[in-house]
Amino acid sequence: MLLAFDTSSAAVTVALADPTSGEIVASSTTVDALRHGELLAPAIAAALEKAGCTPRDLTRIAVGVGPGPFTGLRVGLVTARTMADVLGIEVAGVCSLDVLARQSSFSLPVAVATDARRKEIYWALYDGPAADGSRRRLEGPAVDRPADVAHVLSGLPVIGRGAVLYADALGVADTDVVEYPSAEVLATGVATGTLEVVAPDPLYLRRPDVTLSGGPKSVLPK
């Protein structure tokens, strides 16, 4: 079985799928930006129970690598890496914006914009869907203020929470009702090879808020 989950947004989304066909056998999504750590493990356990499986039945793990807020994103990545190490199986990372692009119902090129907090968005541009449903990323991911990239997204349908929060500032042509990445789409895309797999490392687009110390300071008067 293939276990997939994403915690890069306010949603904690989990899915269990056939590792070859990508057919979903169990899934759940809960939107709660403050409880990723409390929600992920029980959601995984519930999916396994519903499918009549145990962790030893897992053959692969897929996880969204962001971009996303540090606290929520690390919950998913640490869980994926730990489970994969204990079980001795592969963990496949996928850019969470790529997952959202696959969820779009538009048959044209689209933009993805998610909430980066600090009044900013994570964004990327994608080509129209191929015959297998995959989309090629043309630009991004990047993080900017909505007004600073409005000219880039202008005229494109936009999918994601950022399009909902900053629709006026972005001046988008159309929006999609999908706001958060889906573990079902993540699982199916990885199983069928229609989502690009990357290392399971966090995709951070900002500099850390802390800096290295400049060394000890003298307390003696000069």
Side-chain angles (χ1 to χ4, degrees):
M1 283 292 176
L2 186 153
L3 173 66
F5 48 87
D6 189 295
T7 58
S8 66
S9 68
V12 176
T13 179
V14 175
L16 200 62
D18 180 279
T20 303
S21 68
E23 180 181 356
I24 304 299
V25 296
S27 67
S28 68
T29 296
T30 302
V31 179
D32 189 331
L34 301 178
R35 299 180 62 223
H36 294 82
E38 293 88 343
L39 293 171
L40 181 57
I44 292 173
L48 290 169
E49 182 179 5
K50 182 178 180 181
C53 299
T54 71
R56 289 295 174 186
D57 294 314
L58 298 177
T59 56
R60 197 179 190 190
I61 295 175
V63 63
V65 301
F70 174 76
T71 303
L73 185 57
R74 70 178 178 178
V75 169
L77 288 166
V78 168
T79 300
R81 285 178 157 190
T82 301
M83 289 185 67
D85 185 58
V86 170
L87 297 171
I89 60 177
E90 177 192 3
V91 55
V94 174
C95 174
S96 301
L97 302 187
D98 292 359
V99 179
L100 268 165
R102 280 292 305 273
Q103 293 170 230
S104 176
S105 60
F106 294 109
S107 59
L108 303 171
V110 298
V112 172
T114 62
D115 182 16
R117 301 179 183 175
R118 306 183 192 177
K119 297 182 179 180
E120 294 179 326
I121 57 171
Y122 297 118
W123 64 274
L125 304 182
Y126 295 84
D127 206 348
D132 60 4
S134 62
R135 287 182 183 266
R136 181 167 55 98
R137 193 183 330 133
L138 303 175
E139 189 172 348
V143 59
D144 289 286
R145 291 186 176 275
D148 293 341
V149 292
H151 66 288
V152 180
L153 277 58
S154 177
L156 291 173
V158 184
I159 181 174
R161 180 63 179 167
V164 175
L165 293 175
Y166 303 107
D168 291 340
L170 291 172
V172 295
D174 202 354
T175 58
D176 201 304
V177 295
V178 179
E179 297 185 36
Y180 305 110
S182 164
E184 291 190 5
V185 174
L186 170 60
T188 300
V190 169
T192 59
T194 53
L195 279 172
E196 180 184 0
V197 170
V198 298
D201 298 323
L203 182 54
Y204 296 135
L205 300 181
R206 292 192 179 108
R207 291 182 179 275
D209 291 330
V210 295
T211 57
L212 294 176
S213 170
K217 296 181 180 179
S218 174
V219 296
L220 300 177
K222 293 182 180 180

